[in-house]
């Protein structure tokens, strides 16, 4: 029986918050049930309790789910899948120290200061669907994308344990985007565009809102000048010189106002979708000499974790089906078009580099194909 949108949103959101608290959840899939814990928040007490609940036999089959990107850093041979499993029983440390090692295996900040003694051996064959769902759940929680899976078999779990279906986690992004609705709006004069209104959009999962700043009175019958801007706390608010986000945000408002109107979508997709904490982890790695793409891959994420259905949904709810897109990113053009929005034109949107972000911008041009 297909899961409804509310079940998908609520169960996944609850499980993600349990993981942020360092607690286990019951992850159920067609292949079986697992006690699942986030590697980043794993404690010795939580690991011991989970293994005791599952039983000795299940504990022997426990495995750490990692992304293929993180596995490459640990010198684990690829298996042709996005996810791999590292057997817990084969980790070369005494049982009381396993939680600490699991956290280290997930955390790229440990790689340089205290190199891990790989290579480690992955479990052969395709990982279960639960492993991919666990990685996705960690991303929903904005944690490092790694999780411990303990198969349960016939073990009976406490009723208070939060339960989530693997298929619900996998369907989470789609359901959240499709459930977006406008919840509030107000006139909002801003420094570079006094004739503006701000719209707030909320999904059924109760997560962070996305916003749309509509400048002037754009005609829904014509391609609207639009900018998709991912929130950037460090650049937009603090004026960070490591990126060009603040300049892009303010420049977009000016450009749209000068053009006579349009819309700026302010998306809750910090750090190209990995969250602020993980962005700071990537910054640490960049300070060690890795570029922005390498840093994301090293912590287990893709170079860009964003997707564009939420933006398309917002544009449609505002009455726009065609845009002139202010961007230098070809993936935004392709992603928005794939989500059902006609991109009539790409409008260049770039700003001069400074000594702090010139390498970052060069990497976006060379490795991500940005028109810079």
């Amino acid at each position: 029986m297909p899961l409804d949108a509310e079940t998908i949103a609520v169960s996944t959101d609850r499980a993600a918050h349990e993981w942020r608290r360092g607690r286990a959840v019951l992850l159920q899939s067609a292949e079986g049930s697992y006690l699942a814990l986030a590697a980043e928040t794993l404690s010795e007490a939580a690991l011991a309790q989970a293994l005791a609940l599952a039983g000795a036999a299940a504990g022997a089959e426990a495995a750490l789910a990692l992304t293929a990107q993180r596995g490459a850093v640990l010198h684990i041979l690829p298996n042709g899948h996005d996810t791999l499993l590292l057997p817990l029983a084969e980790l070369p440390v005494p049982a009381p120290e396993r939680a600490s090692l699991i956290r280290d295996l997930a955390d790229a900040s440990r790689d340089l200061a205290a190199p891990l003694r790989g290579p480690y051996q992955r479990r052969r064959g395709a990982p279960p669907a639960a492993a991919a769902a666990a990685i996705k759940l960690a991303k929903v929680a904005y944690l490092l994308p790694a999780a411990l899976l303990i198969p349960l078999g016939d073990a009976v779990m406490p009723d208070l344990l939060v339960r989530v279906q693997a298929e619900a986690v996998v369907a989470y992004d789609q359901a959240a985007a499709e459930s977006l609705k406008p919840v509030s709006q107000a006139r909002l004069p801003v420094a570079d565009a006094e004739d503006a209104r701000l719209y707030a959009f909320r999904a059924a999962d109760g997560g962070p809102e996305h916003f749309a700043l509509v400048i002037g009175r754009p005609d829904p019958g014509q391609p609207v000048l639009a900018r998709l801007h991912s929130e950037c706390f460090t650049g937009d608010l603090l004026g960070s010189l490591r990126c060009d986000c603040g300049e892009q945000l303010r420049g977009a408002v000016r450009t749209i106002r000068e053009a006579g109107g349009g819309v700026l979508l302010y998306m809750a997709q910090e750090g190209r979708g990995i969250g602020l904490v993980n962005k700071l982890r990537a910054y640490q790695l960049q300070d060690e000499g890795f570029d922005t793409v390498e840093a994301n891959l090293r912590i287990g994420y893709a170079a860009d974790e964003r997707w564009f259905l939420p933006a398309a949904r917002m544009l449609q709810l505002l009455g726009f089906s065609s845009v002139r897109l202010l961007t230098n990113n070809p993936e935004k053009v392709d992603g928005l078009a794939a989500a059902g929005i006609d991109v009539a034109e790409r409008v260049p949107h770039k700003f001069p580099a400074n000594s702090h972000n010139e390498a970052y911008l060069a990497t976006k041009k060379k490795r991500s194909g940005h028109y810079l």
Side-chain angles (χ1 to χ4, degrees):
M1 180 177 178
L3 298 174
D4 61 85
E6 183 176 1
T7 298
I8 291 170
V10 173
S11 63
T12 303
D13 187 59
R14 285 177 176 170
H17 279 81
E18 287 294 279
W19 271 16
R20 289 178 66 85
R21 298 183 182 102
R23 298 174 181 171
V25 301
L26 178 58
L27 181 61
Q28 299 170 313
S29 74
E31 301 159 327
S33 297
Y34 299 81
L35 265 183
L37 300 102
E40 180 179 340
T41 57
L42 182 67
S43 68
E44 286 73 10
L47 175 58
Q49 182 182 41
L51 291 173
L53 279 173
E61 294 297 316
L64 177 63
L66 297 168
T67 64
Q69 296 98 322
R70 184 65 187 150
V73 174
L74 299 170
H75 307 294
I76 301 174
L77 293 177
N79 60 353
H81 300 275
D82 293 334
T83 305
L84 54 86
L85 288 171
L86 185 63
L88 181 63
E90 295 182 17
L91 296 184
V93 294
E97 299 175 19
R98 281 180 177 167
S100 177
L101 179 57
I102 288 169
R103 293 193 301 269
D104 289 348
L105 289 168
D107 188 352
S109 68
R110 296 285 297 165
D111 295 340
L112 302 179
L116 297 167
R117 294 182 178 178
Y120 297 97
Q121 297 301 312
R122 62 171 170 80
R123 183 166 294 168
R124 296 188 179 278
I135 294 295
K136 179 60 187 175
L137 184 60
K139 292 181 177 182
V140 170
Y142 291 110
L143 297 171
L144 292 168
L148 183 66
L149 294 176
I150 306 172
L152 292 176
D154 297 328
V156 178
M157 292 295 103
D159 291 337
L160 292 178
L161 199 66
V162 170
R163 289 162 163 77
V164 64
Q165 297 284 340
E167 62 180 306
V169 179
V170 173
Y172 177 79
D173 283 344
Q174 183 86 19
E178 292 177 349
S179 69
L180 274 172
K181 294 180 180 179
V183 292
S184 183
Q185 61 168 294
R187 183 178 63 86
L188 186 70
V190 296
D192 292 307
E194 295 186 20
D195 183 13
R197 294 189 70 84
L198 187 67
Y199 295 76
F201 295 82
R202 182 181 296 153
D205 67 338
E209 289 83 7
H210 303 287
F211 297 91
L213 185 70
V214 177
I215 298 169
R217 301 291 185 271
D219 180 1
Q222 299 294 323
V224 63
L225 184 61
R227 167 71 184 166
L228 275 59
H229 187 89
S230 299
E231 68 179 2
C232 178
F233 172 78
T234 50
D236 298 342
L237 184 62
L238 301 181
S240 169
L241 299 177
R242 295 187 71 139
C243 63
D244 57 344
C245 299
E247 292 174 299
Q248 289 193 72
L249 174 63
R250 290 178 285 277
V253 172
R254 289 193 300 270
T255 299
I256 293 171
R257 187 255 303 161
E258 290 167 358
V263 58
L264 183 143
L265 301 184
Y266 196 79
M267 310 301 298
Q269 297 175 333
E270 177 80 50
R272 300 198 296 273
I274 69 174
L276 180 56
V277 172
N278 287 317
K279 183 172 81 170
L280 296 179
R281 290 182 169 122
Y283 277 176
Q284 286 181 312
L285 292 172
Q286 289 173 39
D287 288 340
E288 296 289 344
F290 298 98
D291 67 33
T292 182
V293 171
E294 292 167 342
N296 272 33
L297 298 179
R298 199 167 184 88
I299 62 177
Y301 279 93
D304 193 333
E305 290 279 345
R306 291 173 296 183
W307 77 313
F308 302 102
L309 186 57
R313 170 75 173 164
M314 292 165 66
L315 286 167
Q316 290 163 350
L317 289 169
L318 290 168
F320 303 114
S321 59
S322 181
V323 298
R324 298 171 55 235
L325 192 60
L326 269 172
T327 188
N328 299 311
N329 185 351
E331 290 189 5
K332 284 186 178 180
V333 175
D334 295 341
L336 205 55
I341 297 295
D342 172 55
V343 182
E345 179 186 0
R346 184 191 69 84
V347 181
H349 188 62
K350 59 183 179 181
F351 299 86
N354 63 59
S355 60
H356 299 278
N357 69 14
E358 56 187 358
Y360 163 77
L361 295 177
T363 298
K364 289 209 296 184
K365 178 179 180 179
K366 180 179 180 180
R367 301 197 61 176
S368 302
H370 285 215
Y371 300 109
L372 294 171

